[in-house]
Each structure stands twice: as structure tokens, then as C-alpha cells.
Amino acid sequence: MKLPGLWLCLSFGCAASLSPSCLSAQFRRPGDFVLGGLFPFGKDTVNLTARSEPTLLLCERLFTDGLIWALGMRFAIDQINNSSSLLPGITLGYDMYDTCFEALVALQPSLLFLTRKGTTAIGVLCNYTEYQPRVTAVIGPHKSDLCLLTAKLFGSFLIPQISYGASSETLSNTELYPSFYRTVPSDKNLVEAVVLLLNQFGWNWIATLGSDDEYGRGAQALFLSMVGTHNICIAFEGLIPTDLAEPSAKNQLEDTVKLINSTKVNVVVLFAFNLPARALLEHSIRMGLGKKVWIGTEAWMLSDITASIPNVQSIGTVLGFVMRTGAVPGFQEYVAELFSSVEQEEFCRQSRELSRPMNAEVLDTHCQQCDHVTLGDIWPTLRVTTVQPVHVAVYSVAHALHRALGCTSKSCPKTPIRSWQLLHFMNTLPFDVNGQSFRFDQSHSTNTGYKLIFWAWRDGTLTYLPVGHYDQSLYVRKSQIQFHTADQKEPTSECFRHCQPGQFRRTKGFNLCCYDCTDCSENTFWSSTDSAGCSPCPQHQWAPARSTRCHDRSERFLFWDEPLAVALVTLTALSTALSAVTALLFLRHLQTPLVQAAGGGRSLFALLWLLLLSLSCCLHLGRPSDGLCRLQQLSYALCLNGCFSTFVPKALEIALVTEFPRCAPRLLRWVTRGRAWLLVAASLLTQALLCFCHLLLGPDYLVADYRALPREVLLVCGTQSWAAFALLHGYNSCLAFACFLGTFMVQSPGRRYNVARGITFATLIYFVVWIFFLVIFATLRTVLRAVTQICTILATTLGILVSYFMPKCYIIVFRPDLNTGDYFQNPAEEEPQEDVV
């Protein structure tokens, strides 16, 4: 039993016969698999009066284009039918209809293709798995507008639809259009190529126009969404009317030309079909727009409609992208042979026999406008019109059928095939056509790349000169492009000047492409050409104003060799020497009444700690580290405690004698002589424990401050815990306060030396210094923080030396006559005064 015919419908143009009209039946041929096709067969599809023929495929070109596409389909089908390896034993038929550019007209054959095979009715079912429509697949239409309409219709039945010209990116949505395929790239690829071309020539101030249809609107929307990320700005965007018969069309075109002229752009990107493009270019020439660089697409660049405009050379330079397609071997010879056979009686007889089996109720395809076409009418267009997409579309369905049927290289099994069964094979498997491999990508498109075409005029004759190509990347042979400028070099098209290195663009007004160049501020740098802002430097680097790169920060701390550090080292040496000299002087006169009254050996012990305290200033000089930061506060607190701990027994001794005479006899032995050293040891031990607690609670640590200085990283010791800081230094403050309370009200009897006065002034100087130190230390975050600590140490050390030890040194050196027991009588040896009742 012979396999029922499966219909594959191709949508093309506006009629169905060649001269003579007996060829009309040749566009309807039965077969095991029937392909349906529609072509624009009118001499001028815009001026056609007979528009009642139902059509499926969209066609935007003139009659000759549609006729060539139809012949390309017939040629592909004849090749497949004569092939011994592709669909062996299966004959493909075809049935062609015309869309006449009308959506409603296209719906008629679309509904016909959806009818159940052998009937004129469409089954409304819940499950179409076993539904056999009149056709198995649809090829076309050519234009995106009609494909958006028909793709949803055929998608609901999962009937494969392969367009050879619809490039709208909307059709790439496979969820909305699951059964739509195309043998041309989508507009997204075209727009990417145009953007790269603009970038390569540095054109960033342009106008963009599109025809007011799905192709123009969709391509322009894609273009506008992409240029923003490539530093390209749009001076003007607009749409060109497609219905030029409307009264407002002329005014709209004139306004568009005026607006382009007002923007002063030198580059215009035009996404339009040939008729709207022709209307725009004619108005541009008539209104004296001036020469521009026109960047176009295949939709109008290869058309004779635009190329035949009078004085079209005056528009400037025309560049554009056309699909990179290969030739179809043997096609021109096939067309020539077909036209020669049309005039033979045998050809007409076969046509009449083929027309008899057709159902008289189905749509007719005859078009009287096609009855007077000769080979000479289509031969010039035959060399320009791209046939390969039609050829590939037919072969894609043939290969899918071959695989779905499980054919071998010798035969095909007679197995029923449903339309939806072809989708899997079209999605997954590549196929070869004339030695070239094709496959549909994830968006059901074939991306063969583009050629960059230049309109070259030589002796008044237009030549389409290839000057580059695009396939994921753009290559341009600039030397072959002769621009309209006086030196034939590329013109500039910029709203702004290029900013100098170290400057960024500050937008002025509402147009993002018009701006002033502003210097980058400190610690920012200019990172890329014409960037919209300056980039901040990394934390460890800095940059001057108007910089193009960042520099590594140098470290900043209190260097040993800087003048301030030298001055502080000098003062440290002075303080150390003063402590050492005083200690030696006290040691030499250790047994004298003055030294004994000052504490004897404990005074030497205090001077030793003051000497160490002076030397601790060196811990604050040079590059700090975590270890040095921990030692700084500990050394200051411990050394100062060593000094104050020797003052405590003397202050208690004085307080007991002067303030508590009744208790003095039995308590003085605990604060004098050898037992006084127990108080000193206890005090030092307590301070040592507090130092240990400070290390546990939160010792000082090294801080790298990148904000304090513009070009350097400040290395300072930071306070981790102010509670630990207060605990560490609070004990010394308590000792100093106790010494101050025990001595500040003591009066010396008669003309004796007041030992208490030295302790009072020493502790008073300590408190004054610490008031200033805490205020400055808590708020300062520069290299002066180390200076503050050194000054505090030196001020405290020198204050104690000057107020407590220097007067005694003066007496030892210059007034030895006063160094007597009467003048320096120890308070413990005096007679305690009785309290008066």
C-alpha cells in the first residue's frame, strides 16, 4: 500500500504561473510528501490590484525575487526526488500559495494546511498525537510579521515551520514558538555586527531608523538595548512609515530628515525594507540632507529598488551586512532550461494533466500578472537574490523525514509520520547541503555569518564590493573602503571630545553622550578609554589627581632619622643622663642625711626605674610591630610604678607623723626601713598582675591606617580595649593620688627641709601631664600619636626629676652645709605632737 502523501508547504509570493499560463499547474504537483510554497508573482507587488489569492509565505521583494525563490524550491525538490541516497523511493510534491503581504490573506492557506488530510475540516481535539493534517511541514513565510502570526498557529499543532527570511529576535523564543525554524541568522547577530562596526570606526554619535514593521521595530529595539554598553549614543531614533500611500507619510519622512540634519550626525543606521528605505533616501536627496555614512542591511542594500534611485550616489557612503551564503550549483542552468521548456507543447500538456487531480474546492493559485515573464526579466535579479536559505529549508525537512522514517541509503520504509515527530530530528541532528553542514541552534536558527558590503560606484555602475566579514568577530578591510570625504578617510561622528588620560566624562544636560572631561580626584584613577567615572585605588595604593594608575603606598611611622625623632631622642638621652647622674650622686652621698631623708636606697631604686622609663621612649621610634605595641604601654606602666612605689612608704610615713600622731608609733615600723621594701615589692607585683590582665583583655596591636594620610599607610599602635588600658594605668594613678593626699597639706616645722613638697609636686605634674595625654592620645590617629607618648614619658620623667630629685642634687652639690641632720631630720625621728583636746 502506498504511503499517503505528506504535504510540506512553502510560503512565498503573489501568484502561481509563468508565461504561458499553462505553467500554473507546475506550482502544484502531487507526491508522497507534498511541499507547499507561496511566491510574490506580481510584477510590482505594491501596485498589485488582484490581491484575492490566498497565501502563506510572506514576501517583501518584487515579483522577480519571489519567482526566483519559488524556482529555488522546485529545484531543491527535483534534486531530492532524483537523489538515490536522500529519501530513496519517496517523491516530494509541492503546493504553492501567495500571501500578498496581508495577514488575513495568509490565514486562509494556513487554515487549509491545518485541515485533516483528505478533508477541509480542522479537528478540535484534546490530543493531536494521532492527528494527520493536510501538510507535515511549512516553509515560510519570508517576513517576520507574518511568521509571528503563523508560527503560533502551526506551533499549536507542532507542525514544523521553516522560514528562509524571518529574522526577528522575538521568534527565537522557543517556548512561544516551539515548531518555528529559520535558515537565516536572527537580528541579534546582525545588531552585534553593526555595533562592532561602529566601534571599529569610533562612531559614537549616530541616528538610527527602522521601518514601522516587525523587522524594523524589532531590530532597532535590539540595537538600542545594545549600544549603551559600547559607549555609543543615539542622537535620533525614529520609524519610517511602510504604507507610503497614507497622507501623513510624506510629512513624517520630511520631519525625519529635518531631525537627522539637526543632530549633525555623520552616521545613520537603517533597519528597513527596500520600499521604506527608498522613500527615505529619496526625501534625503530632495531635501539636501548632505552626505552621510549609511549602515544598512540586506533588506534594502541588495535591492534594485534603492540602487535605482536617481542621484543615489549623492547620499554618501553605504556600508552594510548581508548574509554570507553560498551558491547553489546548477540553479541558473535549471532556470534557463525551465524557461526554454515553457514554450513547448509537451510542457503544457503535462501541466494540464497535473492540474486535473486537484480538488476544485481548494484555493486557486493563478495570477494574471505572471503571464508575461521572460527569462530576461529575472536574469539580472537571479545573480543577486539569495536562493540558498530556501534550498537549505527544503533540505532540512527532507533530512528530518529521512531520519524519522528510518531510511537507509537505498530505501525508505512505508511508515506513517506525524508532524510533531520531525521536531526531534530537526533539533538534534546536522544535515549537509552541497557539501556544507548546517544545524539549528538553541533558538532554532542557522547562523552562517555576514559579509560586509560596500557600495562602490565605478563609472556610474554600482558594484557590491565585499570589504569584510562577521562571524563572532568582525574583520574589516578599511583600505578598500572609499568614503565620501575629501581624503576618502572615515569621517568622525562624535558629540564629545575624547577625554585625556586621567579624565572621566561628566554628562551635561540630558544627553548621555554630551559631556565635559573632568579630572580624576586623588586616590582615584582613569581605568579605561572614555570611561564614565574614575575607579578608586585599592586600599594599599594611592594616586594623585588626574592619574592613570595607582602607586603603592609607602609606610609612615616615626623614623629614627627625621628631625622630630632626633629631637626626641636628644631629650631622651638628656633624661636618661640626668637620671643616671642623679643616681650616681645619690649613691655617692647615700649615707648623708639628705639622701636618707629622701628614702635612701629606695631613691636609687626610683632613679633606676626613671632611667628605664626614659629608655622606653625608644620603643616608640622606628617601624612598630605587634610585639612593640604590647611592650609600649606595659613598660610605661611598670617603670612608672617602680618609681611611685618608692614614694608610697615616704608619703605614708609623713601622713602618719603629721595627721595621725597617736597611731604613728606603732604603724611607722611598717613603712620605714626594711619593711618599706615590702610595700615596694607588693606594689610592683600588683602592677605586674595588671600587666598580665592587660595582655589577656586586649593588648595594643599594630594598625595599618590607610585613611589618615593621602599617599602613605600609617603604622600606629591601636588601643584594642580602653577598659584594659584604664586598668593598666589606673593603678599608678591611684598610687599618685594617695601620695598627693598624704603630702600636699604637710608643713615643715621651723627651718627644716619639706620632704613632702617634692612628692606633692611630682604627683601633681604627673596628673597634669596625663590630662593632656589622654585627650590627645584618644583623638589622635597620626604619626604624632607616638610623639605624644614619647613626650608624655619625657614630661613625666623630667617632672619627677625636676620636682623631687633636682632640689636635693642642688643642695648636695651647691649647699653641702645644709646636708645636716637638723635640716633633714627624718619625720619618724621627730617627737609626735599630742592632739589638743
Side-chain angles (χ1 to χ4, degrees):
M1 179 178 180
K2 190 172 183 179
L3 181 69
L6 299 179
W7 294 67
L8 182 63
C9 305
L10 277 76
S11 309
F12 285 82
C14 261
S17 67
L18 286 171
S19 176
S21 59
C22 63
L23 188 62
S24 175
Q26 288 293 323
F27 288 90
R28 179 175 285 176
R29 178 184 295 174
D32 296 327
F33 294 87
V34 179
L35 310 179
L38 303 174
F39 303 85
F41 291 131
K43 290 247 178 175
D44 187 341
T45 55
V46 177
N47 297 324
L48 283 177
T49 56
R51 300 177 65 89
S52 59
E53 298 85 355
T55 60
L56 178 62
L57 181 67
L58 294 175
C59 171
E60 82 288 353
R61 295 182 183 269
L62 295 182
F63 153 73
T64 51
D65 290 321
L67 180 58
I68 291 170
W69 287 327
L71 296 178
M73 183 198 71
R74 281 194 50 176
F75 177 62
I77 292 173
D78 287 346
Q79 278 188 323
I80 295 169
N81 288 339
N82 294 327
S83 173
S84 59
S85 58
L86 182 61
L87 292 177
I90 298 294
T91 302
L92 294 182
Y94 53 85
D95 192 1
M96 302 182 188
Y97 290 90
D98 185 8
T99 60
C100 294
F101 306 102
E102 295 292 342
L104 291 177
V105 175
L107 282 177
Q108 278 187 286
S110 299
L111 295 174
L112 175 64
F113 297 149
L114 295 176
T115 59
R116 193 187 296 271
K117 179 173 176 56
T119 70
T120 57
I122 299 177
V124 180
L125 307 173
C126 294
N127 187 346
Y128 285 94
T129 303
E130 300 299 326
Y131 186 80
Q132 180 63 60
R134 178 185 179 89
V135 300
T136 300
V138 178
I139 296 181
H142 180 270
K143 289 184 66 177
S144 299
D145 302 70
L146 293 187
C147 282
L148 289 172
L149 175 67
T150 58
K152 284 189 176 182
L153 191 63
F154 294 124
S156 61
F157 288 78
L158 293 182
I159 298 176
Q161 177 185 1
I162 304 92
S163 173
Y164 57 92
S167 59
S168 173
E169 180 63 18
T170 306
L171 292 166
S172 297
N173 190 336
T174 55
E175 292 184 0
L176 292 178
Y177 310 102
S179 64
F180 178 82
Y181 298 82
R182 54 185 163 200
T183 55
V184 294
S186 72
D187 287 337
K188 183 179 181 180
N189 302 100
L190 174 64
V191 168
E192 289 175 350
V194 172
V195 170
L196 290 178
L197 179 65
L198 294 173
N199 274 335
Q200 189 153 128
F201 284 101
W203 294 325
N204 49 35
W205 183 241
I206 64 170
T208 175
L209 299 169
S211 53
D212 194 8
D213 51 28
E214 177 60 30
Y215 170 73
R217 290 190 300 268
Q220 183 166 261
L222 277 173
F223 180 71
L224 293 175
S225 67
M226 195 175 296
V227 293
T229 58
H230 291 79
N231 295 326
I232 298 173
C233 296
I234 306 300
F236 171 75
E237 59 177 286
L239 294 174
I240 309 170
T242 53
D243 190 351
L244 302 176
E246 290 186 0
S248 61
K250 181 179 179 181
N251 293 334
Q252 186 176 348
L253 288 168
E254 291 177 350
D255 292 340
T256 299
V257 174
K258 291 178 182 178
L259 288 170
I260 295 174
N261 189 46
S262 65
T263 58
K264 302 185 184 304
V265 298
N266 289 326
V267 177
V268 181
V269 179
L270 180 57
F271 300 103
F273 289 111
N274 46 29
L275 290 173
R278 177 187 176 95
L280 176 67
L281 295 178
E282 284 179 339
H283 279 77
S284 300
I285 296 171
R286 181 176 59 82
M287 298 175 65
L289 176 61
K291 294 185 176 182
K292 308 287 183 185
V293 176
W294 296 83
I295 298 179
T297 64
E298 187 175 7
W300 63 271
M301 279 196 61
L302 300 182
S303 173
D304 290 337
I305 295 178
T306 51
S308 61
I309 298 174
N311 199 25
V312 71
Q313 301 95 318
S314 64
I315 65 173
T317 303
V318 178
L319 288 169
F321 292 95
V322 300
M323 285 183 296
R324 188 164 59 184
T325 58
V328 179
F331 176 63
Q332 292 186 2
E333 293 79 0
Y334 174 82
V335 173
E337 181 181 354
L338 181 63
F339 268 86
S340 63
S341 63
V342 166
E343 299 176 357
Q344 300 176 10
E345 179 61 30
E346 178 65 19
F347 183 88
C348 292
R349 186 187 62 79
Q350 294 177 359
S351 297
R352 287 190 291 270
E353 290 178 357
L354 289 173
S355 63
R356 287 172 188 155
M358 297 301 171
N359 189 347
E361 296 180 359
V362 301
L363 301 171
D364 191 12
T365 58
H366 185 70
C367 179
Q368 295 180 356
Q369 286 85 348
C370 309
D371 288 345
H372 305 285
V373 181
T374 64
L375 182 61
D377 293 330
I378 69 167
W379 194 257
T381 311
L382 186 63
R383 295 175 297 174
V384 180
T385 302
T386 302
V387 182
Q388 190 188 45
V390 180
H391 201 69
V392 173
V394 176
Y395 268 89
S396 69
V397 177
H399 279 279
L401 282 170
H402 185 92
R403 290 159 183 160
L405 289 169
C407 298
T408 65
S409 59
K410 297 181 179 180
S411 63
C412 289
K414 303 302 183 179
T415 305
I417 292 296
R418 303 290 183 261
S419 300
W420 57 269
Q421 292 176 295
L422 298 181
L423 297 181
H424 168 74
F425 300 98
M426 298 189 70
N427 289 338
T428 57
L429 297 178
F431 56 94
D432 294 332
V433 180
N434 296 325
Q436 186 176 358
S437 180
F438 296 89
R439 73 177 305 153
F440 295 107
D441 57 24
Q442 292 181 348
S443 61
H444 293 177
S445 305
T446 58
N447 185 11
T448 56
Y450 295 92
K451 290 188 296 184
L452 179 62
I453 299 297
F454 166 62
W455 273 16
W457 295 93
R458 296 172 182 172
D459 299 328
T461 303
L462 174 60
T463 302
Y464 301 110
L465 180 64
V467 293
H469 58 81
Y470 170 77
D471 187 3
Q472 306 303 322
S473 61
L474 178 65
Y475 172 73
V476 181
R477 295 185 290 272
K478 295 184 179 181
S479 59
Q480 296 185 358
I481 305 175
Q482 297 180 352
F483 289 94
H484 58 269
T485 54
D487 58 357
Q488 294 186 343
K489 300 295 184 182
E490 65 266 20
T492 59
S493 187
E494 301 172 322
C495 169
F496 51 84
R497 60 187 176 91
H498 287 283
C499 294
Q500 297 298 318
Q503 295 180 323
F504 71 96
R505 303 179 307 185
R506 186 182 296 277
T507 303
K508 57 181 181 180
F510 296 100
N511 199 304
L512 296 179
C513 266
C514 294
Y515 52 76
D516 295 321
C517 293
T518 306
D519 293 346
C520 292
S521 60
E522 287 188 359
N523 291 327
T524 62
F525 71 102
W526 176 75
S527 58
S528 61
T529 304
D530 296 333
S531 58
C534 298
S535 302
C537 289
Q539 191 179 43
H540 65 282
Q541 293 182 325
W542 72 279
R546 195 172 177 177
S547 177
T548 58
R549 65 185 183 92
C550 293
H551 309 275
D552 290 333
R553 289 176 179 265
S554 59
E555 294 181 342
R556 182 69 176 100
F557 46 85
L558 192 58
F559 292 93
W560 285 89
D561 56 351
E562 61 181 289
L564 183 57
V566 173
L568 293 174
V569 169
T570 303
L571 287 175
T572 301
L574 177 63
S575 175
T576 304
L578 196 58
S579 300
V581 171
T582 303
L584 291 175
L585 190 61
F586 270 52
L587 178 62
R588 184 176 179 182
H589 299 84
L590 184 60
Q591 300 303 324
T592 61
L594 184 150
V595 176
Q596 290 298 317
R602 295 194 303 275
S603 296
L604 291 175
F605 189 74
L607 287 169
L608 177 62
W609 284 108
L610 288 179
L611 187 146
L612 294 175
L613 183 60
S614 298
L615 292 176
S616 69
C617 292
C618 297
L619 297 175
H620 300 272
L621 293 169
R623 190 184 190 280
S625 64
D626 286 327
L628 287 176
C629 288
R630 291 188 179 96
L631 286 176
Q632 286 174 3
Q633 299 300 328
L634 299 181
S635 62
Y636 177 68
L638 197 59
C639 291
L640 189 60
N641 183 266
C643 178
F644 281 165
S645 63
T646 63
F647 289 170
V648 171
K650 180 58 65 176
L652 291 176
E653 179 184 349
I654 294 171
L656 287 173
V657 171
T658 58
E659 301 297 329
F660 306 99
R662 289 176 179 268
C663 303
R666 66 175 182 273
L667 295 178
L668 280 175
R669 65 177 181 270
W670 296 101
V671 295
T672 57
R673 295 181 178 86
R675 294 185 180 182
W677 286 101
L678 293 177
L679 290 176
V680 174
S683 177
L684 283 171
L685 180 60
T686 302
Q687 186 64 58
L689 291 175
L690 292 175
C691 290
F692 181 73
C693 292
H694 180 266
L695 290 175
L696 292 179
L697 294 177
D700 288 5
Y701 64 102
L702 179 63
V703 176
D705 191 346
Y706 295 95
R707 297 183 179 179
L709 301 174
R711 302 183 180 184
E712 300 164 311
V713 51
L714 178 64
L715 299 181
V716 294
C717 293
T719 303
Q720 183 174 349
S721 171
W722 285 102
F725 181 89
L727 186 65
L728 179 67
H729 295 285
Y731 180 63
N732 282 335
S733 300
C734 292
L735 291 181
F737 187 64
C739 293
F740 179 79
L741 290 179
T743 59
F744 84 102
M745 291 295 290
V746 174
Q747 298 293 329
S748 60
R751 297 182 62 187
R752 293 179 181 178
Y753 183 80
N754 191 343
V755 180
R757 189 177 300 165
I759 298 176
T760 301
F761 280 109
T763 55
L764 185 61
I765 290 173
Y766 166 78
F767 284 123
V768 172
V769 170
W770 259 81
I771 289 172
F772 286 100
F773 166 72
L774 286 177
V775 173
I776 298 173
F777 186 78
T779 57
L780 206 59
R781 199 60 178 270
T782 65
V783 72
L784 295 178
R785 193 176 196 191
V787 175
T788 303
Q789 288 188 296
I790 295 174
C791 291
T792 301
I793 295 172
L794 292 176
T796 304
T797 304
L798 292 173
I800 295 174
L801 287 172
V802 170
S803 62
Y804 187 77
F805 291 100
M806 286 301 102
K808 298 174 179 58
C809 292
Y810 174 79
I811 293 174
I812 292 173
V813 176
F814 298 104
R815 295 294 304 274
D817 59 297
L818 296 178
N819 192 358
T820 63
D822 291 336
Y823 192 72
F824 286 98
Q825 185 177 0
N826 197 312
E829 298 175 355
E830 298 180 1
E831 291 292 335
Q833 300 179 3
E834 297 290 338
D835 293 341
V836 180
V837 180

